[in-house]
């Protein structure tokens, strides 16, 4: 079996280079056959795409997508809470 650090590097490279994601700020942790994605993105679609790219890069691992979605508001805008 491939060493965890190599799998993590492959997943991070895939997320950075894939046209769907181009994401650098996501941490990849591997424990046994579990792959954890952690970090923050600005939308749920990006979170889903990252999970998909990570799964494609390491399909043999069980994916835990723990990426947080942070709503980005324009500077100076008031936040409207419903």
């Amino acid at each position: 079996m491939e060493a965890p650090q190599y799998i993590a590097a492959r997943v991070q490279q895939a997320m950075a280079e894939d046209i769907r994601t181009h994401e650098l700020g996501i941490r990849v942790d591997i424990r046994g056959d579990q792959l954890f994605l952690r970090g923050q993105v600005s939308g749920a679609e990006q979170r889903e795409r990252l999970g998909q790219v990570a799964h494609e890069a390491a399909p043999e691992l069980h994916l835990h997508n723990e990426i947080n979605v942070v709503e980005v508001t324009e500077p100076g805008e008031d936040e409207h809470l419903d």
Side-chain angles (χ1 to χ4, degrees):
M1 173 136 171
E2 206 176 354
Q5 62 266 32
Y6 292 124
I7 301 172
R10 185 173 77 228
V11 170
Q12 282 189 305
Q13 184 175 9
M15 290 189 298
E17 294 179 354
D18 195 290
I19 195 163
R20 293 167 291 176
T21 50
H22 286 302
E23 190 71 53
L24 294 169
I26 301 302
R27 205 167 78 241
V28 178
D29 291 317
I30 295 174
R31 301 214 172 82
D33 63 350
Q34 311 291 308
L35 188 160
F36 296 87
L37 299 181
R38 297 191 176 104
Q40 293 184 334
V41 295
S42 59
E45 285 180 13
Q46 178 73 341
R47 179 184 184 276
E48 293 303 312
R49 284 192 295 263
L50 286 161
Q52 190 174 0
V53 170
H55 176 70
E56 290 169 9
E60 70 278 11
L61 299 180
H62 298 286
L63 177 66
H64 300 273
N65 190 339
E66 298 180 357
I67 297 170
N68 293 317
V69 176
V70 179
E71 295 303 322
V72 177
T73 55
E74 293 296 315
E77 270 190 24
D78 292 331
E79 287 190 29
H80 298 288
L81 300 176
D82 295 325

